[in-house]
Amino acid sequence: MASKLAQLLSDSRRALFTMLGFQAVIWSVQVVNWLDDYDLSKEYGLRSERVDDLPEMFTMPFLHFSWDHILSNSWPLFVLGFLAAYRGMRKFLLASLVITVSGGLTVWLLESPNTVTAGASGMVYGYLGYVVLRGVLDRNVLDAVVGLGVAAVYWTILIGVLPVVHGVSWLGHLGGLIGGLAAAVLLRNQAQPKPVPAAPAPDSPNTALLKELDDLGL
């Protein structure tokens, strides 16, 4: 029990520092981007249907188009990212990759031609889906409670996966959410098979004879 608690605390520290580092990066990029009249977002955001722009799915989450844009993403990104990472960095990094690719491909395939998409909101929706479904699939009491709490607090943002707000990349949100759900399924804890007790070895004829003689006192 003590070793599991120590591991959880260690993983939680890594998750905290990871998300603080991510916040530091996106805010530093935002300052440079703002000073450059958001040319970074225009240059390294993701444009649909352009094959040479596919790598931009990996730079898109670090870029925003305004201070309001980054402010609206930062807090839920930090909270949900931490909850996605506190049980192990390896699964968190793999989940982040699945979410990034899923959100990026959804935007690239379905967004209007030459539309530039940027922002970390796809990651927010991805981590939301990952955290909630992970708790259910892993049958982990703590994760299940956390997942229900996250769902209760952030359920209203699910409206963002529908095309109801002009200028918001609902496709990026939807793709991120799908990626988070897929990552929860792919990275779920596998049930360990129960060990089958070994059958006792049958007595050999000599052993049976010795036991009978012993019972007779011979």
Side-chain angles (χ1 to χ4, degrees):
M1 180 65 180
S3 61
K4 288 184 178 180
L5 180 60
Q7 184 63 47
L8 179 62
L9 291 174
S10 176
D11 288 338
S12 297
R13 282 194 296 269
R14 290 193 188 97
L16 176 63
F17 290 132
T18 296
M19 295 316 299
L20 287 174
F22 190 69
Q23 292 286 326
V25 170
I26 64 172
W27 278 88
S28 299
V29 171
Q30 169 64 14
V31 172
V32 175
N33 205 5
W34 171 68
L35 292 172
D36 200 30
D37 197 27
Y38 294 99
D39 280 348
L40 287 177
S41 293
K42 299 168 189 173
E43 179 67 23
Y44 295 102
L46 181 60
R47 285 179 174 81
S48 61
E49 300 181 359
R50 289 175 49 166
V51 176
D52 57 335
D53 259 32
L54 271 174
E56 268 72 355
M57 71 173 67
F58 298 104
T59 56
M60 174 177 68
F62 296 91
L63 301 166
H64 295 82
F65 285 111
S66 69
W67 292 106
D68 287 341
H69 190 193
I70 191 172
L71 281 169
S72 66
N73 283 337
S74 291
W75 179 244
L77 177 67
F78 178 79
V79 173
L80 293 167
F82 172 80
L83 293 175
Y86 84 99
R87 275 187 47 204
M89 292 305 301
R90 178 179 173 274
K91 285 189 176 181
F92 169 71
L93 294 175
L94 290 173
S96 299
L97 178 61
V98 173
I99 292 166
T100 300
V101 172
S102 176
L105 286 178
T106 303
V107 168
W108 187 79
L109 289 170
L110 302 177
E111 189 59 86
S112 301
N114 295 320
T115 300
V116 181
T117 302
S121 53
M123 304 301 294
V124 171
Y125 282 82
Y127 291 144
L128 173 63
Y130 177 70
V131 169
V132 172
L133 188 56
R134 180 185 65 183
V136 175
L137 294 179
D138 287 355
R139 298 180 181 178
N140 181 288
V141 175
L142 178 60
D143 270 10
V145 172
V146 168
L148 289 173
V150 168
V153 172
Y154 289 107
W155 71 269
T156 54
I157 71 172
L158 291 177
I159 194 69
V161 302
L162 301 174
V164 295
V165 181
H166 178 70
V168 173
S169 177
W170 68 276
L171 286 168
H173 298 170
L174 179 61
L177 180 62
I178 292 171
L181 297 174
V185 173
L186 293 172
L187 301 174
R188 68 189 184 279
N189 289 338
Q190 300 296 327
Q192 297 295 326
K194 294 182 179 180
V196 178
D203 291 335
S204 66
N206 291 337
T207 303
L209 177 60
L210 289 173
K211 288 175 66 176
E212 290 179 8
L213 293 176
D214 186 60
D215 290 340
L216 294 173
L218 300 175

